[in-house]
Amino acid sequence: MVAATTALEPDIDAGLSLSFRSVSHAFALADELLPVLSGVDLEVQGGSFVAILGPSGCGKSTLLRLVAGLEQPRSGQILADGEPIAGPHPSRVVVFQDPTLYPWRTVEGNVALGLETRGLLRHRRDRIGAALRLVGLERFASAFPHQLSGGMAQRAALARALVNDPRLLILDEPLGKLDQLTRMTMQNEIVALWLNARFTTLMVTHDVEEALLMAQRVVIMTPRPATISEIIDVEMPYPRHRNDPRLIALRTLALERLGLGTYA
Amino acid sequence: MFGAADERVGFLDVRLRRDRWICARGALGRVLPAALWTALAGVTAFWPQADDWPRTRELAALALLIAGALATIAFLGRRLGTIGERIRHWEPWLAALATLVAVWELLTAKLAWLPPPFFVPPQAILEVYLDEGDKLLECILYSGLLLGQGTILGAGIGFLAGIALGWSPRASYWGHPILRVLGPLPATAWLPFAFFAFPSSRSASIFLVALATGIPVAVLTWSGVSSVNSAYYDVARTLGANQRFLVWKVAVPAAMPHVFVGLFMGLSSSFAVLVVAEMMGVKAGLGWYLQWAQGWGAYANMYAALIVLALVCATLVALLFKLRDRLLAWQKGLLKW
Ligand SMILES: Nc1ncnc2c1ncn2[C@@H]1O[C@H](COP(=O)(O)OP(=O)(O)OP(=O)(O)O)[C@@H](O)[C@H]1O
Ligand SMILES: [Mg+2]
């Protein structure tokens, strides 16, 4: 794993900084407009790890799509290193909620996608193997996606993102389909990777504990139309432990802010 | 007590007998096809003829040859490996075929219950292959060339048109009504127009075959491209893909299963158009041969050409299946074929 991480050492080392300036978005649903985001303001420092928590359907994935440049906000602006985001760019890589591997490509072929689109396949082919080793799929390089389990598919999607030296890694519930054991390993792996590579990480998760274990800041969103209700700074060194009393205190706070105080 | 033991012995005995029967039946099944083909050879060679049919001895020799080959395969048994396995799978069919040909031989050449010229014995068809083999081969080549040129042209244009229709809103705006109106028209309806508009009947036929192949390929490629999961495009775009990559590396492979459905439809309608075109205007090819044989009352030639045509079409369809299995191997786990 250590060897793999070094093999994936980034070519560009600065993480992308983001600023959200009263970002609002809405979808046309039937003949009315469904407001999804309303006035999101947030500053994300280059190289930091930010987790986003919020109830289902509040607009977390939508926010990530805007950052990825797949859609433009109806109003407001998102700046990446001070420049408005006009469209997708390979420096901002997304691991989608659904793995969406191409069924006609092998795992290896899927991971190669980003290198292929940028014409780097010939020179950086070694990165494919390194990324596959990192997510523990080296033996499945030539398997087709239908031969993978749900968790393996999600790990393949993560590998597909990581071969690209992202300056911003956008993760939409990347560990949602994994079993507890793989999940805990992958949490550590992603944090280790981020500590090593220092790209900015924006991760949506449903798991309060996961957010607090991994991120430096945890952003809590309200139900739809979403705004930011609370930002929790997690000032704890890595590696973190889930039994740490400070973490347990923060968890109680976060659950309260999510309206789940009675369960804390 | 004795009774129970007896019963058990009896049961064992029955089982033993049954096993032996299965063995015997297996062995019999093994030699049965060869035996039946030998019998066919015997009937053909030694049963007195009602009429004097040439090539009777050759038919008997052919049957004997097949019998010999089958006997060798049966004798070699498992030593032949997978090829032997595959041939063994067809043993019942080979046995039935020998029986069928024998009955046919008896009803026509031997007993003359089915009268010529409409009913011909098997040796008459063999005679066609032996005496007019090169002429038939020429027809196969001619038809094959015409079909090949027409289908490749049609499939290529249809494929590109389908991609354009599925990808570009402008192409779809102009192309959709045209396909809606011209698509349902059978390609054969263009026949009079084509023969009058094209300089040669050959180019007219290529046009017709291309049309018959191109339209279903275009329609299905189009529907394939426009039904691609938009999440596939999102993935590629976030990884830095340009338009060309999105078309050729995302839309096209995702649409391939649809394209193959179009190709199968196109190929079968191109057979129909080919035969009709050759019957109507072209002075060569299997369709023309069929028409010509029927015109002269040469029914043996007609049947011979019909058999060849069926085999050619079946082979082409089988080849297309093989190609699909190769290109769409990734689909195997997703669907039942
Ligand atoms: N393309 C679209 N067209 C119309 N409505 C949409 C579209 N995409 C999302 N929505 C709506 O926007 C809202 C927010 O969706 P989003 O996927 O961002 O939620 P989410 O916070 O990621 O939820 P989850 O945690 O369940 O993934 C939902 O109510 C959804 O119905
Ligand atoms: Mg979501």
Side-chain angles (χ1 to χ4, degrees), chain B:
Chain B
M1 222 178 138
F2 274 101
D6 267 358
E7 232 168 65
R8 209 152 50 219
V9 170
F11 167 71
L12 270 178
D13 196 37
V14 166
R15 240 186 38 188
L16 212 64
R17 250 186 297 171
R18 202 190 56 191
D19 287 353
R20 230 183 266 143
W21 160 237
I22 287 173
C23 271
R25 204 177 54 174
L28 192 70
R30 199 100 313 149
V31 298
L32 187 66
L36 283 172
W37 281 93
T38 315
L40 171 61
V43 166
T44 309
F46 301 117
W47 196 302
Q49 307 255 58
D51 239 332
D52 187 25
W53 290 100
R55 301 295 189 183
T56 301
R57 295 225 325 257
E58 281 83 350
L59 180 65
L62 181 66
L64 207 58
L65 205 69
I66 293 173
L70 287 172
T72 314
I73 289 160
F75 175 73
L76 286 176
R78 300 206 183 289
R79 266 164 292 177
L80 273 176
T82 48
I83 302 169
E85 203 67 53
R86 207 173 297 167
I87 294 170
R88 223 163 295 137
H89 171 79
W90 292 107
E91 265 170 0
W93 260 105
L94 288 164
L97 203 62
T99 316
L100 203 74
V101 176
V103 170
W104 175 16
E105 174 72 13
L106 282 173
L107 291 180
T108 50
K110 306 303 182 194
L111 304 170
W113 288 359
L114 298 175
F118 193 73
F119 293 99
V120 296
Q123 51 264 57
I125 288 174
L126 184 65
E127 185 192 359
V128 175
Y129 291 136
L130 291 175
D131 296 351
E132 289 206 24
D134 40 352
K135 193 167 179 184
L136 268 172
L137 206 64
E138 217 173 277
C139 286
I140 294 173
L141 285 178
Y142 191 91
S143 292
L145 202 64
L146 211 163
L147 193 71
Q149 285 173 321
T151 47
I152 288 171
L153 195 71
I157 293 174
F159 179 64
L160 294 177
I163 293 171
L165 286 165
W167 193 258
S168 140
R170 191 183 307 170
S172 163
Y173 174 81
W174 292 106
H176 188 187
I178 296 178
L179 265 191
R180 278 286 279 272
V181 173
L182 298 186
L185 199 63
T188 39
W190 288 91
L191 206 123
F193 162 79
F195 278 119
F196 137 82
F198 279 81
S200 67
S201 58
R202 195 184 155 73
S203 52
S205 310
I206 292 176
F207 164 76
L208 290 170
V209 170
L211 196 71
T213 318
I215 285 179
V217 171
V219 171
L220 275 128
T221 305
W222 173 17
S223 89
V225 168
S226 47
S227 66
V228 174
N229 183 353
S230 67
Y232 290 159
Y233 296 130
D234 288 348
V235 166
R237 285 173 61 206
T238 58
L239 292 173
N242 54 17
Q243 286 279 315
R244 227 173 76 188
F245 192 94
L246 292 182
V247 174
W248 294 105
K249 297 286 181 85
V250 183
V252 167
M256 239 24 213
H258 281 84
V259 174
F260 266 93
V261 175
L263 282 173
F264 278 111
M265 288 166 59
L267 190 64
S268 35
S269 63
S270 75
F271 293 151
V273 173
L274 175 78
V275 171
V276 174
E278 285 179 346
M279 284 179 171
M280 302 290 286
V282 191
K283 291 279 168 282
L286 284 169
W288 165 80
Y289 190 95
L290 275 172
Q291 181 87 343
W292 168 85
Q294 194 265 344
W296 285 95
Y299 291 106
N301 297 56
M302 191 180 77
Y303 296 130
L306 216 49
I307 292 169
V308 168
L309 191 62
L311 291 178
V312 168
C313 293
T315 308
L316 289 175
V317 170
L319 284 176
L320 191 59
F321 266 109
K322 272 258 175 336
L323 185 70
R324 182 198 68 170
D325 290 359
R326 269 193 93 101
L327 287 181
L328 301 185
W330 57 270
Q331 237 199 342
K332 232 165 203 168
L334 302 176
L335 318 164
K336 272 229 150 48
W337 282 358

Side-chain angles (χ1 to χ4, degrees), chain A residues 145-233:
Chain A
H146 70 79
Q147 295 166 313
L148 303 182
S149 71
M152 287 159 79
Q154 220 157 15
R155 282 186 276 151
L158 187 62
R160 178 174 64 189
L162 291 178
V163 286
N164 296 292
D165 298 323
R167 295 187 59 212
L168 170 67
L169 183 63
I170 302 170
L171 302 168
D172 197 349
E173 296 181 44
L175 310 178
K177 283 186 188 155
L178 302 186
D179 62 288
Q180 191 64 28
L181 198 70
T182 323
R183 194 180 170 112
M184 283 162 68
T185 320
M186 289 303 295
Q187 285 171 355
N188 290 333
E189 283 302 329
I190 291 173
V191 168
L193 201 75
W194 162 71
L195 283 171
N196 185 51
R198 279 297 170 178
F199 43 70
T200 312
T201 305
L202 201 58
M203 179 179 80
V204 163
T205 172
H206 272 146
D207 185 340
V208 175
E209 197 177 74
E210 180 171 279
L212 293 169
L213 265 175
M214 296 174 73
Q216 294 171 312
R217 298 173 82 200
V218 176
V219 174
I220 296 175
M221 308 199 74
T222 63
R224 191 185 59 236
T227 52
I228 293 172
S229 75
E230 179 87 30
I231 296 178
I232 300 176
D233 284 306

Side-chain angles (χ1 to χ4, degrees), chain A residues 27 29 34 36 56-62 97 173 206 224:
Chain A
F27 286 112
L29 204 67
L34 178 78
V36 175
S56 177
C58 75
K60 302 181 296 294
S61 297
T62 307
Q97 194 163 2
E173 296 181 44
H206 272 146
R224 191 185 59 236

